[in-house]
């Protein structure tokens, strides 16, 4: 092109590549300029383009040409060796020429600048593209990038691998001069090279680039297979149809590449702001290429129509070869054949779950039942699990320490070992444990169960991935919506047949240790709905103490759905005695063997030790609690003591026959711990260490490892292990530094913190321990390496949290540091600290409030901050604390206003949040500073407006809003056919109620908050359970849209008004219509009054006990109630606030001093009033 001689055929590929390289390092050789090729064009006329089916005038079209390209423009006929190969190259239309004709003028002009006409130039560009792809490959290996693409997590390095693989396919065909084809010549190799060499730094940009290139090169390789098949066909009409389909596919690929090259030609600054292809463009390209490919293959299959039997056999063999090549290419590609068949793989690491809650979790207690104990009980559970028609829930209840968790682990182990051969398998598990963070909460219960189920049930992963892609915040919604979207609906959509399939058993242990009693009932209520599934057989084994909330939960569950067993009643006393005796015999046999095998142990134990009499005494102490037997075993097995002495300590402990069972279990352990020193000074230090270290272990909000506990308490890990080692009978003490330390049973925590132990030297004062932990948390967060701006050294202020490597977050924010961030306020609360203007809380917040928000955002825990601020507000002293109160109020407004974008990009708390805060904001003026890179910033309002927050989620107008009676929920009804429930305190959407098929016009809560009614343009009223989000009743009868609904005060009646000019009364419990009142006109207001005997409407009053009577309506409201009248918010006889136009459509509700308005934008706006000044003035 530039006068260099064309390398001879004997010159090796490597030599020719090196000869053409004129750059050093990563720089690219100069590309031939457009002007240098401008004379190498061919003008196409009608005489040059002949087609058996059509003739087109293309005299105005020009395409690049050259010595090699000119030769290539006539490829296309079948080789003479093939049957009926009657065509010649000169008699066939130019394939590449027709492809270029199909492009727009702009695309053709762009591509001709990047298409080489010399085979050696193509060869060099291909090699350089391959080198650039390998450089991207190396970068991806270093960065360990992943990216979510069409609901699937893409490992970017794998995309680079595939780009390299496709390029290798092109370079592996040998010398291009000898193996030219239209795909080699027609692809803009110089442009592909430049795209792969382009400097991109963001994971989303490089993913877009590599995925786009990978799909384009995959399609190009498919195209090569089609063209090779096409070349071997004789000239027939069906061959012409195939050629048309091939050229359309080819043109589509070139157009896709042209779009990216056009972006490459833009300015560097513009290019840095966007990807070469959007996700949508890539998906659409893949989809359309697959559709075009299907057409090509259909045309290929039709090519045998005019052939004789012999040639058809030959063509069938060609078709088989084509399909084999296509299958091989498909296996190398990561997307499925079409978008509808796209198999979405979900990255399990992105699903939040409760660490340590699953069976066989690292650091879990692996104790299971002895093979000769619990035999009948376990067989009964196994039979229940295996039987296809047994009840779907098995509730095993029993006293604390009776062995329920050991049974749960044994059943889980058995299920996990069954696999598909036993007809039953472990579906999932969750072992609750109070005081262990997410294990003690229901918030991660359903995501954890889902995480396990998708690994067991084929096809469930794709359905769950779709849910997560559509609603990434589903994990923060109320339990009902989590259950419905993550478990119930996906399982309903499964294409499985119950008959002959596996039974999946979910094991849930210690539900009584779920910290919120209300969540316990919700879990039971929701799970009972799975009994009616027909797509998959799912059962639940549930264990718990017989606590009242669980009993109430099962009260509303049909006995056809569940069976229960009370462990201490169902198992005979003699069986329990036998099982504990078996356990202790086996345990003491292990102690005896280990002791006698140790040459340093001294006098060996007698082969009959400890003897039947002593064993029976131990059984009498333990029955019926297995936790007592287990603790005795661990205590006697202490390697630092002679087991004979340990046994006597248990049997001869003072008052052993008079103490409560738990006390006589733990007091010998604690007494021996305190006997380690006779010196009074050392003993005092020993007790002090006990209260600090063991007191922390039983008081922490979630367990910490030895290393993390040492960091938090600022003591040596060696000191911790010395103090803990003697307590291995009651604590789980890992050998390593990084596994959490746990109590073996909750009863030990309860015993140490109990009132009866407070006078003992090893009694733990709960509030005092929490105050100590609060102090340690603040020291850790405020000290060197503590909270500061941009802790993870993010490159720019808008860096999204999802793009930050989790490893770098964990490296900077250690487990102890994250614990302190998350729980310091909980320790303030449980320490019963009353905070004021001059205390450590105010000083800490004033210095580190924004830093703390940044840390909580990095930890993905920002949603917890609003409740924590409210907790602090409740602890503010009433004396001399006005500044702290104002600070916390302002902090709450900052978080409510900015939580959405700060949760996405943590560093925005220092820029956007501060720039747009009101001028008098305390946080802005005390904690914030305007970033130096912003020269001019907007003038903001002087103070916060009355609007507390905007709730965003609806996609169309909001028609109605309503508070629950306790003010804890706000419902909104919208034209988008949904009802949404919100937490008005935090602004979080907690439920999305779907079911209506037209706009939702009205919504109202029952007085007790147990039901929510919604009225819709679909002519129905629906009743919902606000706690679970489940539809309870669908009330049908109206013949036109339903405009409004109202509950009677006792909840026994529901009234609805409709465009059919009727008012109907319903029984909310049964869903039956009890009265139909006609000729009511267009009614928009309904309200029960006068002991539910009167129903107020737009047209007057209706007496419920009679048919109806018209009476003029009367306004009822308290002198101090807030109402809207004549576009004003009024209180008593006084106008308070004039409402703008968008607030006047009547879609409002109030609770106490808070108003909520539904807006045309789809937002819900909340205004809050404070009348405390009246009492202070008085």
């Amino acid at each position: 092109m530039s006068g260099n001689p064309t390398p001879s055929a004997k010159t090796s590929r490597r030599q020719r590549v090196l000869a053409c390289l004129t750059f050093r390092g990563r720089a690219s050789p100069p590309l031939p300029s457009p002007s240098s090729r401008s004379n190498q064009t061919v003008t196409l006329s009608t005489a040059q383009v002949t087609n058996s089916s059509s003739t087109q005038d293309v005299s105005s079209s020009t395409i690049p040409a050259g010595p090699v390209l000119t030769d290539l423009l006539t490829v296309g006929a079948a080789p003479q060796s093939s049957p009926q190969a009657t065509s010649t190259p000169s008699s066939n239309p130019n394939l590449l020429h027709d492809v270029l004709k199909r492009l727009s003028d702009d695309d053709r002009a762009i591509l001709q600048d990047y298409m080489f006409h010399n085979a050696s130039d193509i060869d060099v560009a291909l090699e350089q593209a391959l080198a650039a792809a390998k450089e991207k490959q190396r970068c991806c290996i270093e960065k360990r990038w992943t990216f979510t693409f069409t609901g699937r997590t893409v490992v970017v390095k794998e995309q680079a691998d595939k780009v390299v693989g496709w390029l290798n396919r092109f370079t592996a065909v040998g010398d291009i001069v000898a193996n030219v084809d239209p795909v080699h010549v027609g692809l803009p190799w110089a442009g592909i090279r430049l795209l792969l060499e382009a400097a991109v730094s963001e994971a989303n940009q490089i993913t877009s680039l590599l995925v786009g290139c990978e799909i384009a090169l995959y399609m190009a390789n498919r195209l090569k297979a089609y063209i090779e098949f096409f070349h071997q066909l004789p000239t027939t009409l069906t061959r012409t149809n195939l050629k048309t389909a091939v050229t359309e596919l080819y043109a589509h690929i070139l157009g896709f590449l042209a779009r990216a090259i056009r972006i490459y030609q833009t300015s560097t600054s513009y290019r840095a702001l966007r990807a070469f292809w959007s996700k949508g463009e890539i998906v659409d390209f893949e989809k359309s290429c697959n559709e075009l490919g299907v057409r090509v293959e259909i045309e290929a299959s039709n090519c045998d129509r005019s052939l004789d039997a012999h040639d058809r056999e030959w063509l069938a063999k060609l078709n088989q070869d084509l399909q084999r090549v296509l299958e091989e290419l498909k296996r190398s590609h990561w997307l499925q054949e079409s978008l509808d068949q796209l198999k979405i793989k979900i990255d399990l690491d992105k699903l939040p779950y409760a660490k340590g809650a699953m069976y066989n979790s690292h650091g879990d207690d692996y104790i299971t039942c002895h093979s000769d104990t619990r035999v009948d009980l376990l067989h009964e559970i196994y039979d229940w699990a295996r039987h296809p028609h047994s009840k779907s829930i098995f509730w095993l209840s029993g006293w604390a320490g009776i062995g329920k968790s050991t049974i749960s682990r044994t059943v889980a182990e058995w299920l996990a070992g069954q696999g598909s051969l036993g007809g039953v398998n472990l579906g999932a598990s969750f072992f609750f444990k109070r005081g262990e963070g997410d294990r003690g909460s229901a918030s991660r219960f359903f995501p954890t169960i889902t995480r396990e189920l998708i690994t067991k049930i084929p096809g469930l992963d794709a359905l769950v991935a779709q849910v997560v892609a559509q609603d990434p915040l589903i994990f923060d919604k109320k339990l009902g919506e989590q259950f419905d979207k993550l478990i119930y609906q996906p399982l309903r959509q499964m294409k499985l047949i119950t008959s002959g399939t596996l039974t999946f058993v979910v094991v849930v242990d210690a539900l009584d240790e779920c910290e919120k009693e209300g969540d316990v009932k919700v879990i039971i209520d929701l799970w009972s709905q799975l009994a009616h599934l027909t797509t998959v057989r799912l059962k639940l084994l549930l264990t718990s103490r017989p606590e009242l909330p669980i009993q109430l939960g099962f009260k509303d569950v049909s006995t056809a759905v569940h069976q229960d067993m009370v462990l201490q009643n169902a198992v005979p006393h003699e069986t329990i005695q036998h099982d504990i005796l078996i356990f202790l015999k086996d345990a003491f046999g292990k102690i005896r063997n280990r002791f006698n095998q140790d040459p340093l142990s001294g006098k060996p134990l007698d082969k009959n030790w400890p003897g039947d009499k002593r064993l029976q005494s131990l059984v009498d102490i333990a029955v019926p609690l297995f936790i007592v037997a287990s603790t005795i075993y661990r205590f006697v097995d202490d390697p630092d003591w002679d087991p004979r002495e340990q046994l006597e300590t248990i049997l001869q402990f003072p008052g052993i026959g008079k103490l409560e069972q738990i006390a006589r279990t733990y007091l010998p352990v604690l007494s021996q711990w305190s006997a380690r020193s006779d010196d009074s000074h050392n003993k005092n230090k020993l007790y002090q260490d006990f209260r600090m270290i063991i007191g922390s272990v039983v008081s922490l909000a979630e367990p910490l490892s030895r290393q993390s506990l040492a960091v938090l308490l600022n003591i040596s890990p060696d000191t911790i292990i010395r103090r803990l080692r003697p307590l291995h009978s009651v604590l789980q003490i890992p050998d390593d530094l990084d596994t959490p330390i746990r109590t073996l049973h909750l009863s030990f925590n309860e015993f140490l913190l109990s009132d009866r132990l407070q006078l003992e030297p090893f009694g733990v004062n709960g509030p005092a321990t929490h105050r100590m932990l609060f102090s340690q948390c603040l020291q850790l967060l405020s000290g060197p390496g503590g909270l500061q701006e941009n802790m993870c050294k993010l490159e720019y202020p808008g860096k999204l949290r999802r793009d930050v490597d989790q490893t770098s977050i964990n490296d900077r924010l250690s487990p102890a540091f994250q614990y302190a961030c998350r729980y310091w306020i909980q320790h303030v609360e449980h320490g019963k600290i009353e905070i004021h203007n001059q205390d450590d809380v105010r000083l800490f917040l004033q210095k580190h409030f924004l830093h703390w928000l940044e840390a909580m955002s990095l930890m993905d825990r920002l949603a917890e901050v609003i409740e924590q601020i409210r907790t602090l507000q409740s602890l503010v002293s009433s004396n001399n604390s006005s500044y702290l109160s104002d600070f916390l109020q302002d902090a709450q407004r900052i978080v409510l206003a900015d939580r959405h974008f700060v949760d996405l990009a943590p560093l925005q708390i220092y820029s956007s949040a501060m720039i747009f805060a009101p001028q008098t904001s305390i946080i802005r003026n005390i904690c914030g500073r305007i970033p130096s890179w912003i020269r001019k910033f907007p003038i903001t309002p002087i103070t916060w407006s009355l609007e507390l927050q905007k709730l965003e989620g609806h996609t169309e107008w909001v028609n109605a809003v309503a508070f629950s009676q306790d003010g804890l929920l706000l419902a909104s009804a919208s034209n988008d056919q949904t009802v949404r429930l919100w937490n008005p305190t935090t602004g979080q959407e907690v439920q999305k109620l779907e079911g209506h098929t037209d706009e939702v016009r009205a919504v109202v809560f029952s007085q007790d908050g147990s039901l929510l009614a919604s009225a819709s343009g679909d002519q129905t009223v629906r009743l919902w359970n606000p706690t679970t989000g489940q539809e309870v009743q669908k009330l049908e009868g109206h013949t036109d849209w339903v405009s409004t609904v109202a509950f009677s005060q006792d909840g026994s009646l529901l009234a609805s008004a409709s465009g059919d000019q009727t008012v109907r009364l319903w029984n909310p419990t049964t869903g039956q219509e009890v009265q139909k009142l006609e000729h009511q006109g267009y009614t928009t207001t309904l309200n029960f009054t006068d002991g539910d005997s009167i129903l107020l409407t737009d047209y007057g009053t209706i007496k419920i006990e009679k048919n109806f009577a018209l009476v003029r309506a009367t306004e009822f409201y308290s002198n101090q109630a807030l109402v809207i009248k004549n576009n004003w918010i009024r209180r008593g006889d006084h106008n308070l606030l004039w409402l703008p136009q968008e607030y006047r459509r009547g879609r409002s509700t109030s609770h106490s001093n808070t108003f909520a308005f539904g807006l045309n934008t789809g937002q819900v706006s909340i205004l809050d009033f404070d009348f405390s000044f009246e009492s202070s003035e008085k």
Side-chain angles (χ1 to χ4, degrees), residues 1015-1052:
S1016 170
D1018 64 9
Q1019 305 178 10
T1020 70
V1021 175
R1022 295 178 192 245
L1023 300 181
W1024 313 82
N1025 181 332
T1027 303
T1028 66
Q1030 301 297 302
E1031 182 180 316
V1032 178
Q1033 297 279 3
K1034 180 180 178 182
L1035 312 182
E1036 298 178 286
H1038 285 295
T1039 58
D1040 206 340
W1041 41 262
V1042 185
S1043 57
T1044 188
V1045 283
F1047 278 103
S1048 62
Q1049 294 178 9
D1050 63 4
S1052 63

Side-chain angles (χ1 to χ4, degrees), residues 938-950:
I939 298 175
T940 58
I942 295 176
T943 61
W944 291 103
S945 68
L946 284 175
E947 181 181 277
L948 193 61
Q949 54 185 318
K950 272 193 173 72

Side-chain angles (χ1 to χ4, degrees), residues 56 370 404 451 481 503 550 870 989:
Q56 299 182 18
H370 187 282
K404 301 181 298 296
R451 180 186 176 94
E481 189 163 355
T503 295
I550 300 177
R870 288 179 66 87
E989 179 186 320

Side-chain angles (χ1 to χ4, degrees), residues 111 249 314 404 522 548 587 632 659 819 843 928 1005:
L111 290 173
L249 175 59
W314 162 79
K404 301 181 298 296
V522 171
L548 181 60
I632 290 172
L659 294 172
Y819 177 92
L843 295 174
F1005 284 94

Side-chain angles (χ1 to χ4, degrees), residues 47 60 121 200-201 217 239-240 326 450 500 510 525 539 969 1061 1089:
S60 61
D121 289 339
V200 287
S201 59
L217 292 170
R239 181 180 187 272
T240 303
L326 292 177
T450 302
D525 182 42
K539 295 183 179 181
L969 283 177
Q1061 299 191 19
T1089 186

Side-chain angles (χ1 to χ4, degrees), residues 868-904:
Q868 293 185 1
I869 292 175
R870 288 179 66 87
T871 297
L872 287 178
Q873 288 176 314
S874 69
L875 300 174
V876 174
S877 169
S878 57
N879 298 321
N880 192 29
S881 301
S882 58
Y883 171 82
L884 183 57
S885 295
D886 293 343
F887 185 101
L888 292 172
Q889 180 64 32
D890 194 69
Q892 183 185 35
R893 297 302 298 265
I894 287 284
V895 176
L896 287 172
D898 306 322
R899 70 189 185 282
H900 295 296
F901 61 82
V902 174
D903 204 21
L904 293 172

Side-chain angles (χ1 to χ4, degrees), residues 916-934:
F916 296 106
Q919 297 175 42
T920 57
S921 164
I922 298 174
I923 303 300
R924 170 174 169 163
N925 292 305
I926 300 297
C927 305
R929 58 178 178 81
I930 302 301
S932 59
W933 47 271
I934 299 180

